[in-house]
Amino acid sequence: WISKVGAALAAGSVLLPLAAAPAGAEVRSIEPACSSVSAAGSGFGDVPTSNPHAQAIACIVEWKVTTGVAPGRYEPAGVVTRGQMASFIGRLSMWTDEAIPSVPDAFRDDNGSPHEQYINMLAAAGIVSGRSNGTYGPGEPVSRDQMATFLVRALEFALAEPIGVEAPDAFVDDEGNAHERNIDKAADVGLAGGTSAGRFDPRAH
């Protein structure tokens, strides 16, 4: 899995800077997942090759992780919703050999959403848990701390083992955050970077 989907998840990990990180955030390496993908290969008219994320976007198109927001349009500066993130992770997880269970309906507020299938899949796999009132909030934006948990749980599910067990405290601005442990894990294994020295900006979108 690591040689194939782990490489894809390395590309998927750049979803943080692609869609949620503020300007100037560190962009992590996307090798070897994207080494053979051209920056001009995304097929999106709003992603010129001059975009610093053009190759990463083309890569997740190649891996079938994203389909864009409309024919020929990706909206690289758009905010990622919780429903969209479920589809990103769900499509990426399809590459794993670990079987993903399905359930009839995990949440009451995603009926009719184009992302419902993946939300249900990820709920059954324990990658998403929704909110305390039994809803998922598919149209709400994903914050950086939530995205760290998405990515860590997805990788741990695919590997069938925990990651970043000895991960140190990576950032000073996430103390007490419910996602702090997963933020530290994501930083430890290279899935997430900070927005500046010692800061993660966990609630940013």
Side-chain angles (χ1 to χ4, degrees):
W1 190 87
I2 276 294
S3 64
K4 188 175 182 182
V5 182
L9 189 52
S13 76
V14 300
L15 288 171
L16 276 170
L18 279 178
E26 177 188 1
V27 179
R28 290 162 297 287
S29 172
I30 55 175
E31 302 296 337
C34 309
S35 59
S36 63
V37 179
S38 166
S42 73
F44 297 123
D46 59 350
V47 183
T49 56
S50 59
N51 186 306
H53 308 297
Q55 186 188 16
I57 295 170
C59 186
I60 59 175
V61 170
E62 180 74 14
W63 283 96
K64 298 180 173 57
V65 173
T66 186
T67 57
V69 298
R73 191 160 62 91
Y74 182 73
E75 269 187 22
V79 174
V80 176
T81 67
R82 288 170 55 82
Q84 291 168 337
M85 191 64 197
S87 288
F88 280 138
I89 298 296
R91 292 175 189 139
L92 184 60
S93 298
M94 300 295 278
W95 292 98
T96 181
D97 292 330
E98 189 73 20
I100 298 180
S102 60
V103 292
D105 191 15
F107 305 105
R108 65 175 184 267
D109 64 335
D110 64 351
N111 295 332
S113 166
H115 309 289
E116 183 178 9
Q117 171 193 2
Y118 291 114
I119 293 169
N120 289 337
M121 288 170 56
L122 298 193
I127 295 171
V128 303
S129 56
R131 302 181 294 191
S132 59
N133 63 358
T135 62
Y136 180 77
E140 293 188 1
V142 178
S143 57
R144 286 172 56 81
D145 53 359
Q146 292 171 346
M147 195 172 292
T149 291
F150 270 115
L151 293 172
V152 166
R153 287 179 179 170
L155 184 54
E156 289 184 332
F157 174 80
L159 296 175
E161 63 181 27
I163 63 171
V165 176
E166 303 295 329
D169 187 7
F171 305 103
V172 299
D173 62 342
D174 63 352
E175 304 303 318
N177 186 293
H179 302 276
E180 181 180 5
R181 183 60 182 149
N182 285 328
I183 293 170
D184 291 338
K185 287 183 175 185
D188 189 57
V189 299
L191 290 178
T195 58
S196 61
R199 299 187 63 84
F200 187 73
D201 203 5
R203 298 307 299 162
H205 296 116

